Structure formats: C-alpha cells, structure tokens
Amino acid sequence: MTNPTPPLAPDLPSLRRRLVLILGSAGLLLLVLLSLLMVVAENKMEELSLRHWLEAEATRYQDDWLRLGDAAPAPSPRQFSSYWTEAGRLPGWLKPYRTPGFFEHQLGREDKHFLVRPHPSGQGLIYLVFNDDADDYLDPYEDQLHLATRLIGLTLLLGALGFGVWLVRHITRPLEQLRQRVAHLTPDQGDFVPDAPWQELREIELALLAGKQEVAAVFAREQEFSRFASHELRTPNMVIQGSAALLGKVSELPAPAARAASRIRAASDEMALLTETFLLLGRKDAVERPPQRVAPLIQQELARLAPLLQRENLDIRLALDEQSEVRAPLSLLAIALGNLLKNALSYAEGHIEIVLQGQALTISNPTAAPPDQILGYGCGLTIIERICAKLGWQIETRLEQGVFRASLRMGEGP
C-alpha cells in the first residue's frame, strides 16, 4: 500500500498563538501581582501612618499627664475618643482588648483603628480611638495611588503585549520562511540559498538542502537507470522475439525444443511489457490513459499464468463485472493485474476468489505462507505501489485469520 504524505493536523496548536498567549498571560500576571503589591503596600503604609499618629498623640498625653496630672488635656477630641478603664465608661466592643498594642476592629461598616496603652497614672489602660472617619484621611492619596497603579499596570500590560507581538513576529517570520521552503523541497525545484538569521535555523536549512540534493540525485539516478535500462533492453528483446518467431516456423523441432521456444516467446513478451512499464514509470509528465476493459485482461492473465495452476488443484472463483472499465496505459494495467494474480496463485491454498466490481478488484485466498513472503514473488508489491502512485490508485493488503486479501481501487483518489 502506498504511503501518502500525511496531511497537516488542524488541531495542532499554533506557535504564534501560543507565544502571544504566553506573553499576554505573563503581562496580565505581572499586572495582577503589581496590583496586589500596591494593595499590600497601601495597607502597610496606612497602618504605619495611623499607628504613628496614635502613638504620637498617646505620648503627648503621657507627657502632659506627668507634668499636669489630672489637669492634663485629653487627646484631641476632633480626631480621637479616649477611654480609661478606671473611668468606667468603656464601650463594649473595646472590652476584649486587654493588652497594649495597635489594633483594628470592624464595627459595622466602619473600620476602627485604635491604640491600647497603660495609663500614665499606672492604673488601668487607656484606649485611644479614631473618631468616625478620622482615620480615612489617607483616602484621597490612596485614590491617586490606585489611579497611578492602574495606569502603570496598563502601560506594562500594553508594553508586554506589544513586545510579545514583536517577539512573535521576530521568531515566526524565519520559521514561516523555512516552512515555505520545506513545502517546495521536491527534486524538480531549484536549490535555495540558506539565509536564516539564526544559527539553529541556518543548520536546519543546510540539513534540508543536503537532504534535498541527495534525494534529487537518487531520483535522477533512478529515472536514468529506468530509462537507459528500458531502452537498452529493447534491442536484445527484439532479437529474442525474432529468433523465437523463426524457431516457431521450424516444423521439425522436437517437442522439448518447441516447448522451450514457446516459453522464450512468452518471456520475451513479458520483458517487452515490463520495458514499456518502466519507461512509463520513469516519465515525469502525465501518461495517456485510454479506456481499458478489465474483465478480459483478468481472464487473459489467468490463461497466461496457467502453468502455475498445474502444481496443485486450485478452485478459482470468478465474479467479474464485464462492464468494468478504467482509464490507464495497457502495460501498467496488465502488470498490476498480473502481479496480483501471480502472487495469489503462488501462495493460495485450496481456492482463489476474484471479485471485480466497477473499478474495484479484490483477490482473496487462504494461505499458510508467512506474511513477509506473500508479497515477495517477482516484482511483488513494490511495482504495484509504483503504478498506483503514478496513476493515483490505491492498493490495500491484509492478512486476517489465514486469508490474504488484496484490494485494488483503479480510480482517481477521493
């Protein structure tokens, strides 16, 4: 069976799209991290500022108490509410806080910040609490900081996306050029000049160029060999055919000699057919495809291969579509049919089933031969694959439960 070039898988990820997504995600992650960092920094700055204000006010009140005693003025009533545990008017939500320190308490929808310290008199604790929204004096600065953070983050994100687009183009442009060159690495195309801007891609281009030149050389040698061999075989084959024809005119030949002359004529006819086949396969351009009836050719090939049937009794089961017709050179069609039938007759056990329906031919036969030997007779599957590749046909073979089946579709591929 021929091995066509596998099509591009449409579900494979795109390198360009993948790079854009990665760089865009990195920029978005950077923006999120920067925003989180700014939020944490704002909270810490607010905490430090509020704590410093409370401690400064508490220190002033302590200094005034040490100097004036009970006559010391209370902390500024405009910004603070102060409570002394010994005065007996402590709000209920403050009672759980019995250790000195800076605290934050969510009272309804208001976020209360306050400081707990020992009272300067040495008796009880003093609580210094911000009044209402007095601790929100940093909000205008926070709004400006939020705006600056968003602008900086958006700028970084746009910069990351712009850099990502540039980087993707910078990377994928040479790759796209390399992909276009790979798509035209056929023997009939001229050599390209390696000009990749990166060392790794330049090495790939050089390897591709070396491989292309090697394939082109092998292809040229194969074509030349097929053409030269076919032309050179024609002359001796004509001599063999002429000599066999002269021997056939001799009426007094012994029976063994007559049979030998008959075999020589059959072998020379087959050689002429193979020579024509090799010439057609070696041509680069398209070949003429006159219409051919398939059923008569199958019967003709079975008659020619009749000596193979003498080794044992084989039951040949034919189901031929007499109207079946294909467009192909006669030599290529005859060689393809002959090789399939020859392989089947050589390895069949008991019977052969030949079914021709439209442009599809199926040959089935039980066999005990190993799979690696079934297609090893004569030109075998190789010459059939070359014919199928030349004409756009498909050949499929499989061995299942001791039955070998070869299916030949003699029409253009879908």
Side-chain angles (χ1 to χ4, degrees), residues 293-296 298 318-325 354-360:
R293 301 292 292 272
V294 183
I298 293 177
L318 292 175
L320 302 181
D321 181 4
E322 297 294 337
Q323 303 302 319
S324 175
E325 185 177 272
I354 303 173
V355 179
L356 175 65
Q357 184 65 39
Q359 294 182 333

Side-chain angles (χ1 to χ4, degrees), residues 170-371:
H170 183 66
I171 293 176
T172 58
R173 188 181 295 114
L175 293 177
E176 178 66 21
Q177 183 179 359
L178 182 62
R179 186 189 66 83
Q180 294 176 357
R181 288 180 171 178
V182 171
H184 296 85
L185 286 179
T186 54
D188 56 339
Q189 297 286 338
D191 292 343
F192 60 87
V193 178
D195 57 356
W198 304 327
Q199 179 181 356
E200 293 79 5
L201 289 182
R202 182 68 62 88
E203 293 176 354
I204 294 177
E205 285 184 337
L206 291 174
L208 290 174
L209 182 60
K212 175 187 177 299
Q213 293 173 347
E214 183 177 353
V215 170
V218 172
F219 188 73
R221 287 196 300 269
E222 180 184 358
Q223 285 189 325
E224 291 176 357
F225 176 79
S226 299
R227 185 171 63 253
F228 294 159
S230 299
H231 281 292
E232 294 300 326
L233 284 176
R234 282 184 170 181
T235 300
N237 190 47
M238 291 177 61
V239 174
I240 294 174
Q241 286 180 329
S243 301
L246 290 176
L247 289 175
K249 294 179 180 180
V250 178
S251 59
E252 299 180 354
L253 280 178
R259 290 194 297 271
S262 178
R263 288 195 298 269
I264 291 174
R265 284 194 300 271
S268 64
D269 291 340
E270 185 174 1
M271 184 181 298
L273 188 62
L274 284 172
T275 301
E276 181 67 22
T277 299
F278 292 152
L279 284 174
L280 291 175
L281 291 178
R283 290 173 56 180
K284 292 183 179 180
D285 52 347
V287 296
E288 296 183 2
R289 300 189 180 194
Q292 308 288 349
R293 301 292 292 272
V294 183
L297 279 177
I298 293 177
Q299 295 173 340
Q300 179 181 338
E301 288 297 319
L302 287 174
R304 186 177 66 85
L305 297 172
L308 292 177
L309 298 174
Q310 299 175 359
R311 61 183 180 86
E312 60 179 270
N313 293 326
L314 287 176
D315 180 18
I316 300 180
R317 305 170 185 176
L318 292 175
L320 302 181
D321 181 4
E322 297 294 337
Q323 303 302 319
S324 175
E325 185 177 272
V326 298
R327 291 187 172 274
L330 178 60
S331 59
L332 297 185
L333 179 59
I335 287 294
L337 296 176
N339 274 276
L340 286 176
L341 293 172
K342 187 185 300 181
N343 286 330
L345 293 173
S346 300
Y347 296 102
E349 301 287 343
H351 71 272
I352 298 175
E353 185 175 352
I354 303 173
V355 179
L356 175 65
Q357 184 65 39
Q359 294 182 333
L361 173 65
T362 302
I363 302 177
S364 307
N365 60 275
T367 180

Side-chain angles (χ1 to χ4, degrees), residues 83-85 88-98 105-107 112 114 127 129:
Y83 304 96
W84 184 20
T85 55
R89 54 186 182 89
L90 187 66
W93 63 271
L94 283 176
K95 292 181 179 179
Y97 299 94
R98 308 298 297 177
H105 182 85
Q106 190 70 33
L107 186 61
K112 305 293 289 187
F114 58 96
Y127 293 80
V129 184

